[in-house]
Amino acid sequence: QVQLVESGGGLVQPGGSLRLSCAASGLSLDDYAIGWFRRAPGKEREGVSCISGGDGSTYYVDSVKGRFTISRDKAKNLVYLQINNLKPEDTAVYYCAADREPSHYSGTYYCTFRLTRNEYRYWGQGTQVTVSS
């Protein structure tokens, strides 16, 4: 029953901004870590950000820190990825993913651990982000 649907991608000019959305169903955001991943042409999928289920702690890889912001709206079961100052190298298909987080974890340990290992259980279909002038 778990389903993730991304939206918000599109074609933007360098320096522009986008807000990607991940609509989650069949789960509670209190119990699941949510990660954002991207796959650029010719490259492996990489995790860029995650948010923990228990306390909403956030994590960003160094390459996107300061430009990307992950957030959640628990009432609407939505997770967002705000991307500012877009660069051509940000062009990729962006995916959100979810994994049930054990209740005894706190902070970003669990979401980060799974992010780096690409072990999130549930995945969305992806949304295309293209940055070009």
Side-chain angles (χ1 to χ4, degrees):
Q1 294 282 72
V2 173
Q3 188 173 12
L4 305 171
V5 180
E6 302 95 333
S7 62
L11 174 64
V12 297
Q13 295 182 343
S17 298
L18 283 173
R19 188 179 73 164
L20 309 183
S21 297
C22 175
S25 60
L27 61 83
S28 170
L29 294 180
D30 287 324
D31 300 323
Y32 284 77
I34 305 295
W36 280 100
F37 297 77
R38 67 184 181 185
R39 190 166 206 164
K43 295 184 178 181
E44 295 294 319
R45 184 177 63 198
E46 64 168 344
V48 297
S49 182
C50 66
I51 185 166
S52 69
D55 60 8
S57 298
T58 59
Y59 165 83
Y60 307 91
V61 296
D62 289 341
S63 61
V64 307
K65 197 172 299 181
R67 297 191 300 118
F68 287 30
T69 303
I70 190 171
S71 62
R72 65 183 182 180
D73 184 335
K74 293 195 293 183
K76 297 180 178 179
N77 250 38
L78 290 172
V79 179
Y80 304 104
L81 185 68
Q82 177 71 37
I83 311 176
N84 296 326
N85 192 24
L86 279 157
K87 303 176 180 180
E89 52 263 43
D90 294 321
T91 295
V93 177
Y94 284 73
Y95 303 87
C96 65
D99 200 281
R100 189 172 183 89
E101 182 180 280
S103 60
H104 61 274
Y105 283 101
S106 62
T108 58
Y109 177 83
Y110 186 82
C111 82
T112 302
F113 181 79
R114 306 294 278 189
L115 191 78
T116 59
R117 296 172 67 92
N118 287 288
E119 293 182 349
Y120 280 68
R121 182 171 182 178
Y122 304 103
W123 294 82
Q125 83 291 342
T127 185
Q128 177 71 49
V129 173
T130 302
V131 185
S132 177
S133 60

